[in-house]
Amino acid sequence: MSRARITIDRSFTVGEVPQRIFGSFVEHMGRCVYTGIYEPDHPDADASGFRQDVLKLVNELGATVVRYPGGNFVSGYNWEDGVGPVENRPRRLDGAWHTLETNAFGLHEFVNWSRQAGVEVMEAINLGTRGVDAARELVEYANHPGGTYLSDLRKKNGSAEPFDIKLWCLGNEMDGPWQIGHKTADEYGRLAQEAAKAMRYVDPSLELVACGSSNSQMATFGDWEQTVLTHTYEEVDYISLHAYYQEHDGDAGSFLASARDMDHFIESVVATADAVRAKGKHKKRINLSFDEWNVWYTRHGDVDSPDEVGKHGWREHPRVIEDEYNVTDAVVVGTLLNSLLRHGDRVKIANQAQLVNVIAPIMSEENGPAWRQSIFWPFARMAALARGQILHTRVESDKYENARYGDTDLVDVSSTWDEETGRMAFFLANRGLEEAADIEVALRGFDNARVLSAEVLQIPEGKDRFTTNNLQHRERVGLVPLHDAKAAAGELRVSLPALSWAVVEVEVSTN
Ligand code: AHR
């Protein structure tokens, strides 16, 4: 049994929970759109072709904002191809994923879907093959009330009211040599600055995200952020971060410590943004948009290469990167969410990539059922219960050694407190592969604590840490009641099984 002591104090808060950190991502990639959220011939599809079984799970997941339409896809995408009568929309080759895009689903469909899903739209513009003109025209089409060619075209295409999209990404991963229209930091910084300016001339209320690095291992990481923000500081509100994690060669210990990399990545980008602020004598602060993150088992041959396309032709929405997530992945996702929440003073937006089928918490079979992956649970519970203030958590935990990060706490935590409802939530992970963890939480400044609910995701009885949900076994991994959670005045005690993620909701009063 390992031990951890956590101390929280009602006076030590990080800030309000930014609800936009429970964001997700829909890209025209694989089966995320087609046979994911949209499948007109499915028995559960409505008149618009939106799968209601998938929508139900999206609601349950609790995503607040969804990024669209890419990803790498957006860097070769013409937004105009996805509007107007469907029968007139062009079929195009998508160079990013080497597939055939029918454009049956486009901007209007996505906005209508997002309204049904109750999520905010986060729209990405193409700064790979296109530029300032396409960007400002898209803003005019989407957000201008009427009386101009483009806003009237939107009305003619079925949307009398403006879409009123506030949140925009200025391109995607423009530092990556794989990106269509890849640029140097100076080239991208200038283009993003001019695009931002022109977009704001059309709608001054926009919130804009500049592309940061594709991951913290890029050779240009750090310099890229500095150069891009030097060009764009006054024009943008956020800088983006992307990170994907996976278990390498059976090294579960390092994989389970991935949130340490995320912590470091976030803190490095905050430091860089603040250095640009100081040097440029700027008043405002740039916040962070962690707009792609997840576990992703990258494998050679995951997506069609130009050679494979030569063999079998250009395919429409093939199965690509449909990772099947296990118990270990769910614990890692829980700790990544903890990292995002603990940094909620600066990370204001985060999008798990992606929403359905493609490295996703929700899976759907063509003409078949939809189900929840293991990673669905930490996201859904945190999105539902993280409310009010984020609390600083002081953790004194037994540690374990791992190859990548050295000594790492066995127990990981984040916590929130909603003064209005008197409810606190604790999101806890035990990284120990063998040992249960005994956790004592000192609740300073709170009394009369009472456990309202406690649930745990753990290795199902008789199974191992690689257990997953899939088409045949759709509910094998999920949450079960956690009986070992007890609260008393000023104290909470929780016992977590080996390799588990748990959520404990506590009602407290303050004197
Ligand atoms: O989410 C899958 C891909 O990962 C995105 O298209 C790209 O931005 C990232 O490299």
Side-chain angles (χ1 to χ4, degrees):
M1 174 84 75
S2 74
R3 294 191 181 283
R5 184 172 167 81
I6 298 166
T7 308
I8 54 136
D9 188 307
R10 69 184 265 218
S11 315
F12 298 155
T13 56
V14 176
E16 185 87 17
V17 177
Q19 289 300 324
R20 279 173 168 172
I21 64 170
F22 301 112
S24 191
F25 177 32
V26 165
E27 175 163 10
H28 282 250
M29 177 179 182
R31 301 191 309 117
C32 188
V33 171
Y34 304 107
T35 74
I37 61 173
Y38 176 77
E39 188 181 335
D41 295 332
H42 192 278
D44 282 332
D46 68 2
S48 307
F50 304 150
R51 281 185 65 156
Q52 299 299 303
D53 56 342
V54 172
L55 258 172
K56 201 166 151 264
L57 293 181
V58 172
N59 282 324
E60 197 186 316
L61 184 71
T64 51
V65 54
V66 178
R67 184 168 174 249
Y68 175 83
N72 295 344
F73 172 80
V74 79
S75 298
Y77 180 56
N78 301 330
W79 68 265
E80 300 89 337
D81 292 347
V83 304
V86 175
E87 59 280 11
N88 297 342
R89 296 187 194 171
R91 289 162 72 80
R92 298 257 191 214
L93 300 183
D94 159 29
W97 302 116
H98 312 296
T99 54
L100 208 142
E101 174 57 51
T102 64
N103 284 305
F105 190 97
L107 182 60
H108 287 254
E109 288 78 18
F110 184 67
V111 170
N112 291 339
W113 177 87
S114 70
R115 287 182 182 153
Q116 278 199 29
V119 300
E120 181 183 2
V121 174
M122 181 180 193
E123 181 75 15
I125 61 162
N126 173 356
L127 287 187
T129 58
R130 306 195 73 187
V132 177
D133 214 29
R136 70 180 180 142
E137 290 196 351
L138 175 53
V139 175
E140 182 177 331
Y141 183 91
N143 285 5
H144 195 67
T148 65
Y149 170 71
L150 286 165
S151 54
D152 288 345
L153 185 60
R154 180 198 68 240
K155 291 184 180 198
K156 194 170 146 226
N157 288 337
S159 288
E161 294 304 315
F163 295 146
D164 200 21
I165 302 171
K166 288 280 167 262
L167 201 49
W168 296 76
C169 301
L170 302 172
N172 177 70
E173 295 188 350
M174 298 309 303
D175 62 323
W178 59 86
Q179 199 70 211
I180 299 176
H182 159 63
K183 294 178 173 49
T184 65
D186 273 313
E187 288 165 350
Y188 170 70
R190 282 289 299 126
L191 179 60
Q193 181 188 21
E194 290 305 319
K197 191 174 84 187
M199 290 162 79
R200 282 229 171 92
Y201 283 167
V202 179
D203 181 349
S205 72
L206 305 184
E207 292 176 59
L208 302 176
V209 184
C211 286
S213 296
S214 304
N215 61 69
S216 60
Q217 303 310 306
M218 298 295 291
T220 49
F221 173 55
D223 285 343
W224 174 274
E225 282 74 5
Q226 196 180 16
T227 305
V228 166
L229 284 177
T230 301
H231 286 296
T232 60
Y233 203 95
E234 285 304 327
E235 260 77 41
V236 305
D237 306 284
Y238 308 92
I239 182 94
S240 74
L241 297 82
H242 291 181
Y244 293 100
Y245 300 95
Q246 63 181 308
E247 184 170 327
H248 293 278
D249 307 320
D251 181 3
S254 297
F255 178 45
L256 283 159
S258 299
R260 294 193 55 187
D261 178 77
M262 188 181 245
D263 287 342
H264 184 66
F265 189 11
I266 291 170
E267 285 153 26
S268 306
V269 175
V270 167
T272 310
D274 288 351
V276 177
R277 175 180 184 239
K279 194 164 176 216
K281 300 184 176 55
H282 299 285
K283 283 209 166 60
K284 72 172 186 189
R285 273 187 209 285
I286 296 290
N287 283 319
L288 274 49
S289 172
F290 214 124
D291 46 43
E292 281 186 38
W293 69 269
N294 207 351
V295 170
W296 176 2
Y297 289 87
T298 46
R299 281 168 290 250
H300 183 70
D302 260 353
V303 294
D304 281 354
S305 64
D307 282 353
E308 278 144 7
V309 168
K311 279 184 229 141
H312 56 59
W314 292 75
R315 299 186 290 175
E316 285 178 34
H317 54 80
R319 280 176 198 269
V320 292
I321 61 169
E322 299 199 0
D323 285 2
E324 198 173 301
Y325 292 112
N326 61 37
V327 175
T328 321
D329 301 328
V331 175
V332 170
V333 162
T335 60
L336 296 175
L337 283 160
N338 278 349
S339 171
L340 294 168
L341 189 59
R342 286 192 297 257
H343 292 93
D345 55 334
R346 296 301 292 271
V347 179
K348 299 294 181 187
I349 305 163
N351 307 71
Q352 190 180 37
Q354 300 185 0
L355 183 61
V356 187
N357 291 330
V358 177
I359 45 172
I362 299 170
M363 296 300 292
S364 66
E365 203 47 43
E366 184 169 2
N367 206 24
W371 65 96
R372 307 167 190 83
Q373 295 236 53
S374 65
I375 62 167
F376 179 97
W377 295 108
F379 189 111
R381 283 299 183 270
M382 285 184 79
L385 297 178
R387 292 286 179 277
Q389 293 291 317
I390 305 160
L391 293 164
H392 275 288
T393 42
R394 181 182 150 79
V395 181
E396 295 154 275
S397 166
D398 287 347
K399 296 183 190 301
Y400 74 105
E401 173 80 22
N402 59 81
R404 271 187 191 222
Y405 308 102
D407 267 359
T408 299
D409 286 346
L410 280 160
V411 169
D412 186 71
V413 64
S414 69
S415 170
T416 61
W417 169 48
D418 186 350
E419 189 168 9
E420 256 172 50
T421 60
R423 287 177 177 220
M424 294 176 81
F426 291 90
F427 308 103
L428 296 150
N430 178 11
R431 294 176 167 127
L433 288 165
E434 308 291 341
E435 278 181 294
D438 219 3
I439 304 167
E440 209 181 286
V441 187
L443 308 170
R444 292 205 185 141
F446 300 100
D447 42 35
N448 295 327
R450 184 167 72 93
V451 172
L452 294 175
S453 67
E455 292 172 299
V456 65
L457 185 149
Q458 61 190 349
I459 299 170
E461 184 121 21
K463 303 275 182 222
D464 61 24
R465 70 181 184 87
F466 299 105
T467 312
T468 61
N469 294 340
N470 53 37
L471 179 59
Q472 286 75 35
H473 306 281
R474 298 201 284 275
E475 296 194 357
R476 221 164 21 182
V477 184
L479 293 171
V480 295
L482 175 68
H483 301 294
D484 293 327
K486 297 192 174 47
E491 195 184 77
L492 170 71
R493 279 175 180 272
V494 184
S495 282
L496 292 186
L499 191 65
S500 61
W501 178 89
V503 52
V504 182
E505 206 190 357
V506 177
E507 189 179 59
V508 284
S509 58
T510 47
N511 42 31

